Amino acid sequence: MKKSLASLASFSLVLLLALPAALAAEAAPAKIDTGDTAFVLISAALVLLMTPALALFYGGMCRTKNVLSTIMQSFFIIGIISVQWVLFGYSLAFGPDISHFIGNLDWIGLNGVGNSPNADYAATIPHSAFMIFQGMFAVITPALITGAFAERMKFSAFAVFTIVWATLVYDPVAHWVWGVGGWLREMGVLDFAGGTVVHIISGVSGLVIAMMIGKRKGFGNEVMLPHHLPMTVLGAGLLWFGWFGFNAGSALGANEIASNAFVVTHVSAAAATVSWVLAEWLMHGKPTVLGAASGCIAGLVSITPAAGFVSPLSAVAIGLLGGVICYLSVSVVKAKLGYDDSLDAFGVHGVGGAWGALATGLFASKAVNEAGADGLLFGNAAQFTNQVIGVAASILFAAVMTFAIIKIMSLVMDIRVSEAQEMQGLDISEHGERGYSYQDLVTGSPVSFAVLEPQSAPATKTSMA
Amino acid sequence: MKKSLASLASFSLVLLLALPAALAAEAAPAKIDTGDTAFVLISAALVLLMTPALALFYGGMCRTKNVLSTIMQSFFIIGIISVQWVLFGYSLAFGPDISHFIGNLDWIGLNGVGNSPNADYAATIPHSAFMIFQGMFAVITPALITGAFAERMKFSAFAVFTIVWATLVYDPVAHWVWGVGGWLREMGVLDFAGGTVVHIISGVSGLVIAMMIGKRKGFGNEVMLPHHLPMTVLGAGLLWFGWFGFNAGSALGANEIASNAFVVTHVSAAAATVSWVLAEWLMHGKPTVLGAASGCIAGLVSITPAAGFVSPLSAVAIGLLGGVICYLSVSVVKAKLGYDDSLDAFGVHGVGGAWGALATGLFASKAVNEAGADGLLFGNAAQFTNQVIGVAASILFAAVMTFAIIKIMSLVMDIRVSEAQEMQGLDISEHGERGYSYQDLVTGSPVSFAVLEPQSAPATKTSMA
Amino acid sequence: MKKSLASLASFSLVLLLALPAALAAEAAPAKIDTGDTAFVLISAALVLLMTPALALFYGGMCRTKNVLSTIMQSFFIIGIISVQWVLFGYSLAFGPDISHFIGNLDWIGLNGVGNSPNADYAATIPHSAFMIFQGMFAVITPALITGAFAERMKFSAFAVFTIVWATLVYDPVAHWVWGVGGWLREMGVLDFAGGTVVHIISGVSGLVIAMMIGKRKGFGNEVMLPHHLPMTVLGAGLLWFGWFGFNAGSALGANEIASNAFVVTHVSAAAATVSWVLAEWLMHGKPTVLGAASGCIAGLVSITPAAGFVSPLSAVAIGLLGGVICYLSVSVVKAKLGYDDSLDAFGVHGVGGAWGALATGLFASKAVNEAGADGLLFGNAAQFTNQVIGVAASILFAAVMTFAIIKIMSLVMDIRVSEAQEMQGLDISEHGERGYSYQDLVTGSPVSFAVLEPQSAPATKTSMA
Amino acid sequence: MKKMTKIEIITRPEKLEALKEAMNKIGVTGMTVTQVLGYGLQKGHREVYRGTEYNVNLVPKVKVEIVVCEVPVDSVIETAKTVCRTGNVGDGKIFVYGIDNAVRIRTGEEGDSAIIDPADIHKLK
Amino acid sequence: MKKMTKIEIITRPEKLEALKEAMNKIGVTGMTVTQVLGYGLQKGHREVYRGTEYNVNLVPKVKVEIVVCEVPVDSVIETAKTVCRTGNVGDGKIFVYGIDNAVRIRTGEEGDSAIIDPADIHKLK
Amino acid sequence: MKKMTKIEIITRPEKLEALKEAMNKIGVTGMTVTQVLGYGLQKGHREVYRGTEYNVNLVPKVKVEIVVCEVPVDSVIETAKTVCRTGNVGDGKIFVYGIDNAVRIRTGEEGDSAIIDPADIHKLK
Ligand SMILES: Nc1ncnc2c1ncn2[C@@H]1O[C@H](COP(=O)(O)OP(=O)(O)O)[C@@H](O)[C@H]1O
Ligand SMILES: Nc1ncnc2c1ncn2[C@@H]1O[C@H](COP(=O)(O)OP(=O)(O)O)[C@@H](O)[C@H]1O
Ligand SMILES: Nc1ncnc2c1ncn2[C@@H]1O[C@H](COP(=O)(O)OP(=O)(O)O)[C@@H](O)[C@H]1O
């Protein structure tokens, strides 16, 4: 995507030549455009909102006793990854290139990342705005993974994994695809807003962990119902809303490309909502709300890498297919293979992201974006090959790295909670809270403020341990 | 509103003459303004959010057993209508005029609707941005109707009705009022953001359906309580938030008119919140939360057609009256007439929209918007007459068309669920889901993946059928 | 903050000299910038959203029987204060100065507050946009207070208090700090987005009321659990989202300062989320979700006064410390002193706001914002002294005024509900509603529409009265 | 002290209102209602989540407990039967128990007078 | 095997905590609590939604079930009466039943020893 | 009319499914389940909110009520004991009561036939 944008910048210049502001920009390059800046900052806010939204989307799908642990994972990630990002993450991902693989540490602690534009990435907005916009992507990506190991992962293990994974997996891949000098970017792989960087690697990593730590107790023979579907729908609605910042904002300005990205994003989400619901209606006789909510996410994921390069009608096709493909992957494939991807992080993000990345190679058209490329359907098979390479490389890298990280961690710490804790629910056993206490039927007593050492604590706190 | 805006464009020119950008605009008309584009795109996102918000607003008011079916109706509409819009809806509403009544099909599949501005509608933003912004209006309008037939309409009937209604009712009326050549627009009817196009016709159509399919079982003698008021308040809060995009965004640029629309929108909502609550407090001795949430919606509806034309103090008046009028219509009038408008789609949107359209004829002032007109209170009775005609025409058209659509549909399919399904709740009987399973007290077993033909399915799935 | 911005305006001029638009601005001063206007209007919408978000944040923390009364207080404030603001509040706060203490009534009813810019406050956006943006701040400030007296204050008393407090406390303090001629502003006190004006005075006022009306029945010996933590997390997420409008929007334009404010706001919130959770984890052996949600708010509060003046790394420090300080104030200090600040309005906003105001005196740097000042750590002890004075003055004023208001009110009306009503819960006793009726197990009957005089009503409506 | 009996009626939630009113008519002054889940001949329903179907076989029911003395037990049973019968599987059950004693906490009254509406107390004399 | 009795206390939810502690004091080692809705002399409350008022006449109560043997039934009843009485309508009822047998699942112990805190078991000797 | 008995099993929620199936096996055709909170030897858990810790000492349990006649009471008790035992404190209790009568609302059948699956009715003959 950044490739497209670098060139997009020049392209816009052509388009803007008449405009004095642009001329001024020529003269004093560090001139920011208020419209573009407003657009990117608000977009960054929209993307931030997506992570709490994801917390609700996931939280509603798990069982009552685990709702907080599921929400906590996404929410806490906003904290740790944002700090990681400003301290060194951004530098690793977007800093000066080291052999096409990763950024160096020149920008550590945002050193040199100021409020005037960095023309390499976005010539009309403050560099800090670009940095924080990208930071929101770095936050939501590991949050997506949590859907795969929900309801059974230890919080401590989750926290360690997240920081390591963000550093060793996300930052490098982001550099490959979006960083100046990144090898996939130079190869011409198109990923407008993160189909590869965000969705494929999170989905694949989730699947690997899910298989490594095993199924939830009772999976397959017990009834596991979403405990609060309206919460999931609320999450989906906020995700849809935030996704406009995610995709249109990736144009890094309020321009034609942003408008196109906005439109195709909405259209694809809508089409996938319809196709998932219809598919389910045909196969089970019921058009479900969870299907509608899942469908829109599938459509949003699918269009993400393509948003800046395809036309609205192509988006209808991408969405319709994306909805059906993801539906089949979570209902048929998952059932057949029998892994426990609790909330379908892989089924929706991994599969949908891969479909989207390939679809970009099919439907991309220079007629939509000069800075983009033509896809297979527009006579350029090469682009499709590029996309395949991008998908394959990111899947491979994410899978291997995740496997290694978990393996090594498991040598030094527990990854999964005990069976007793899993039965009691992670909310009480891991966080000492319950999601709801509706009935006022609680008896008990406040314990005078006392400091307990963490270790002994959990043990003494559950009758089951 | 578009009338006002076409002329507004020229008016802004006057105002912008000093600005080189504007001059440039003269030279090369297809120049987009990043500020305006950012504003309209973000506004479109805000309006999109209103539909999930409406789903929650309505969902919280119905009974537990129907919460999903109510949410699903709004959510699914985002899917089907967005697709309808890009395929042909937009062309019918805004495409080249056919005898002042409807647009032709030149823009089918967004053919010719590109990313450069269309000066007829908005000279400073991409045409695609205008199209998608309008698309969000096309989505929420039928969603408003669902409040009237909630808790008893068959999902299949709902889906068919929605598509037909959008095509035969919404698209034409939008053309009348906003489309170039539309007869109401040419007559000089003012509707800044959709009091007529959105609220009157949805409210009236809802009432017609509610009366045609009859009351909910137990209406009037059973206790029917909102099952989740915080959900309704959340919905109201998000609606208020989104409404800024709805009304201020209708200025189609970040200009003085937008700022004025923003202010009066907020003021009217606030005033109506207060007046509804006070009215209820006086009549029932309790200031209710549902009253506050309903009041703000009433105020937002009332100001919608007037937002671009009235002053803040006028907005206070419009809001205060709007709150009381809608309160009386849902509490007194509805009780007297005895129809079952489940969630008061008519009582709030129909009545509030009509009040707002007339209020525009009273309070509009050229001092606020040169491109607008003076209302009765500013000595121009003609404008009030125009507004009356606009209201009457839309009410008549919506009522007749809706009646015809439902009548014809009822020849070929069931409109209403069976009594057994209604008793069991639409969530289980129509969608095979439950909104909440808080207690972990579920026993049962997963059914190995099996394809059932829809028809037989429902039957076998409820003990009551 | 406005001080910084007045000068910021001139500073931007320097920065904009090359730009024709700016030159035009010289020629015809009343020129608005679409990018800045878009940014400020959207920011105002974001700040509006914060109050419903606060309603949920607080609502989830109280007990089921009081959820609506808690939500209602915040929601109703949007109504009454917005009206107060346009009628006279804005004039008192920002109108022409009277002896450095308060604004006069020239701008009553927004008289003279039009849609062209007011260069004193913001030269590139409509005056009405500045007014409504500020209005959102006036709304949320009293809403913050409600957390301190939740679950026991009479609704009527709450309403009266809110209007009086807004007029006699908020409007003057806002004038001192932000109004042209305000004494703190002239003294050079820095408060970018309201650490003093919003958080300190609301927190302190809350504490005073909490101590005056006494503890909730059962406080300290009964178990009082948050009834719905996901609701609280949702509120926190929306607050975080809205806070970008609050802080970045306070730059009153889409410029470098806005971008910096956006970044440091996010970083501080993230750092505080981490530090609060870690502190709790150490002391109680559990990393809690409520801790994460509270932590992010603590971080947002802490950075508010500093947002326009400090660097991202300083923000990390401010956030980390802010999280721990607020955690200790609600867990240790509150437990020791034993007052019942129900939802920790003082513990988080009072304490966090004070910390932030002082931190501004430590970390502020002209390198970040020419229009700002250097803090103690950058060799300017004077600025720290200024901040101390600002904090002290606002604490003193808020405490004394609030005490006086409540004392006088208590002469003429009940401030607190009866014990029976408190036991039954304020939802039923004050508002005649219940938050949830999940189970369909309600029996009863609709009462034919009857007007009851408020007085007698409550009595007859509860078996306990 | 007259013999007292507890009658436990387990039936469909939607019948509760009608049942309550019917009981009122025959002079039953109080009852205690519990939300329960029932399992029996009545099938549960099927739910679908992301393509996985579940048979949920606990059915929501209400349990109404009525302690009576004066009022003849049979009339209570008869009334309950007529009110709650739909003829479909799942109408529910009525169970009858003996009870040793009853106390009205407010007054400390024991035995029958604990459950009789003071208004009707004279009937006992 | 000593005769065992089940005491069912239906009272106001806000009394639960106090009741539990009082029972502890007199040596009651366990109890089972159920949320119920009660109907009786106590009026319900009125609710208003969009101008329609409803009389909601089921009142939230708790049902506390205690099976005892050793502990004399009367002391349980007395304690419950004193703790739960407010003097206002709605204080609730106490019902007493005979019970044929009790089993402690964990140990399989039957009869009185099933419900007696092992700590007090010696008292039985 | 054969003597009927009510067996009340109070145990851990996670055992419900298994218990239901085991009962099916031994021919118990129906049951009524209630969510309850239990207090006994089993400790509750600790919760933390903003630095304040609470001991929450009511434990979620389920109460399963089964009325039987044909099926020997002991086999029900035995089955419940084996299914629900974990050996940890909190496994729960089984209480047994006599019951005077049972009615199947749908058909009006009284006594044992009210609770026997019509499919097995012949066994009675
Ligand atoms: N043996 C039993 N013990 C306790 N409760 C029972 C028993 N059999 C049935 N029930 C209760 O009665 C309800 C209805 O019984 P069911 O067999 O489904 O229909 P019907 O009573 O019409 O034959 C069940 O849901 C359950 O709550
Ligand atoms: N006949 C009865 N059978 C079962 N429960 C009863 C009966 N009468 C009252 N109750 C229970 O006792 C509660 C209190 O009774 P009520 O008549 O309201 O007050 P009081 O016990 O003070 O006279 C009721 O809410 C109900 O739960
Ligand atoms: N005396 C009693 N009366 C009624 N219910 C009881 C009694 N004692 C225990 N229970 C119920 O049995 C459950 C388990 O009892 P507990 O003493 O905790 O463990 P165990 O049964 O293994 O000794 C309790 O949670 C409570 O619901």
Side-chain angles (χ1 to χ4, degrees), chain B residues 412-431:
Chain B
V412 298
M413 68 197 296
D414 290 351
I415 308 293
R416 183 172 175 152
V417 297
S418 75
E419 191 169 297
Q421 290 173 308
E422 191 176 343
M423 193 136 54
Q424 188 184 25
L426 276 59
D427 291 2
I428 289 178
S429 61
E430 286 280 285
H431 303 287

Side-chain angles (χ1 to χ4, degrees), chain C residues 43-420:
Chain C
S43 293
L46 289 170
V47 183
L48 175 275
L49 183 61
M50 291 174 71
T51 303
L54 183 72
L56 298 169
F57 181 72
Y58 278 167
M61 274 190 275
C62 65
R63 288 164 296 172
T64 310
K65 62 185 179 181
N66 297 318
V67 57
L68 293 182
S69 65
T70 304
I71 287 175
M72 180 66 163
Q73 290 176 343
S74 291
F75 201 89
F76 193 62
I77 281 177
I78 309 178
I80 46 180
I81 297 302
S82 301
V83 174
Q84 182 261 12
W85 189 249
V86 298
L87 293 187
F88 58 86
Y90 179 65
S91 191
L92 291 177
F94 292 91
D97 178 75
I98 299 177
S99 58
H100 313 298
F101 184 78
I102 194 162
N104 68 21
L105 294 177
D106 290 358
W107 295 353
I108 197 163
L110 300 187
N111 162 33
V113 179
N115 294 325
S116 45
N118 172 324
D120 287 349
Y121 290 122
T124 62
I125 63 172
H127 189 182
S128 56
F130 174 79
M131 177 281 297
I132 200 69
F133 179 70
Q134 288 301 330
M136 302 306 186
F137 285 62
V139 163
I140 195 167
T141 308
L144 293 170
I145 304 179
T146 63
F149 53 65
E151 305 201 301
R152 57 198 190 282
M153 185 122 166
K154 249 182 132 30
F155 183 73
S156 48
F158 146 81
V160 172
F161 171 79
T162 298
I163 296 173
V164 176
W165 187 89
T167 308
L168 302 185
V169 183
Y170 182 82
D171 295 343
V173 174
H175 186 78
W176 298 357
V177 181
W178 293 335
V180 170
W183 70 277
L184 287 174
R185 170 179 175 156
E186 301 206 322
M187 222 184 66
V189 172
L190 294 179
D191 184 0
F192 190 72
T196 306
V197 180
V198 174
H199 297 287
I200 293 180
I201 68 173
S202 57
V204 169
S205 300
L207 179 62
V208 171
I209 301 177
M211 296 195 305
M212 289 177 79
I213 65 175
K215 303 175 184 176
R216 286 165 295 172
K217 186 170 180 318
F219 177 75
N221 45 52
E222 275 177 29
V223 180
M224 292 183 175
L225 307 175
H227 86 287
H228 198 316
L229 281 177
M231 185 186 290
T232 294
V233 173
L234 167 61
L238 291 174
L239 280 164
W240 194 328
F241 174 61
W243 225 292
F244 289 119
F246 198 91
N247 285 3
S250 290
L252 298 178
N255 48 42
E256 288 80 357
I257 301 303
S259 183
N260 185 78
F262 189 108
V263 170
V264 297
T265 297
H266 183 67
V267 170
S268 173
T273 304
V274 174
S275 65
W276 182 306
V277 169
L278 292 183
E280 212 168 20
W281 205 348
L282 282 172
M283 299 184 76
H284 297 279
K286 301 283 187 191
T288 71
V289 175
L290 181 57
S294 311
C296 77
I297 302 302
L300 290 161
V301 170
S302 306
I303 199 67
T304 295
F309 310 114
V310 302
S311 72
L313 285 187
S314 302
V316 174
I318 292 173
L320 286 174
L321 284 163
V324 174
I325 291 171
C326 292
Y327 166 69
L328 292 174
S329 79
V330 303
S331 62
V332 184
V333 178
K334 183 175 152 192
K336 289 250 177 309
L337 303 187
Y339 53 84
D340 181 10
D341 175 5
S342 319
L343 312 177
D344 297 312
F346 172 74
V348 173
H349 297 278
V351 173
W355 157 243
L358 300 177
T360 307
L362 297 174
F363 295 97
S365 148
K366 276 182 177 299
V368 174
N369 182 347
E370 292 245 326
D374 280 328
L376 186 59
L377 300 182
F378 296 87
N380 175 13
Q383 188 57 42
F384 187 74
T385 327
N386 282 346
Q387 298 303 101
V388 173
I389 296 171
V391 172
S394 51
I395 290 179
L396 204 71
F397 185 71
V400 172
M401 290 300 290
T402 303
F403 180 84
I405 296 170
I406 294 289
K407 260 272 162 290
I408 292 166
M409 280 177 59
S410 56
L411 301 179
V412 298
M413 68 197 296
D414 291 352
I415 308 293
R416 183 172 175 152
V417 296
S418 75
E419 191 170 296

Side-chain angles (χ1 to χ4, degrees), chain C residues 222-223 423-424 428 431-434 439 441-450 452 460-464, chain E residues 12 14 17 21 37 39 42-59 88-89:
Chain C
E222 275 177 29
V223 180
M423 193 137 54
Q424 188 184 25
I428 289 177
H431 304 287
E433 300 172 294
R434 272 173 304 136
Q439 20 76 312
L441 275 201
V442 263
T443 77
S445 54
V447 180
S448 61
F449 180 79
L452 320 150
T460 67
K461 282 181 192 173
T462 102
S463 65
M464 291 169 149
Chain E
R12 305 182 190 277
E14 58 263 27
E17 178 72 44
E21 278 165 15
L37 294 163
Y39 175 73
Q42 178 185 0
K43 304 263 147 313
H45 60 272
R46 203 172 272 210
E47 301 187 13
V48 196
Y49 297 97
R50 288 195 166 164
T52 309
E53 298 193 359
Y54 294 102
N55 261 326
V56 175
N57 50 27
L58 283 181
V59 187
N88 298 323
V89 181

Side-chain angles (χ1 to χ4, degrees), chain A residues 432 434 443-447 463, chain F residues 42 45 47-49 53 55 57:
Chain A
R434 272 173 303 137
T443 76
S445 54
V447 180
S463 65
Chain F
Q42 178 184 3
H45 60 271
E47 300 187 14
V48 196
Y49 297 97
E53 298 194 358
N55 261 327
N57 50 27

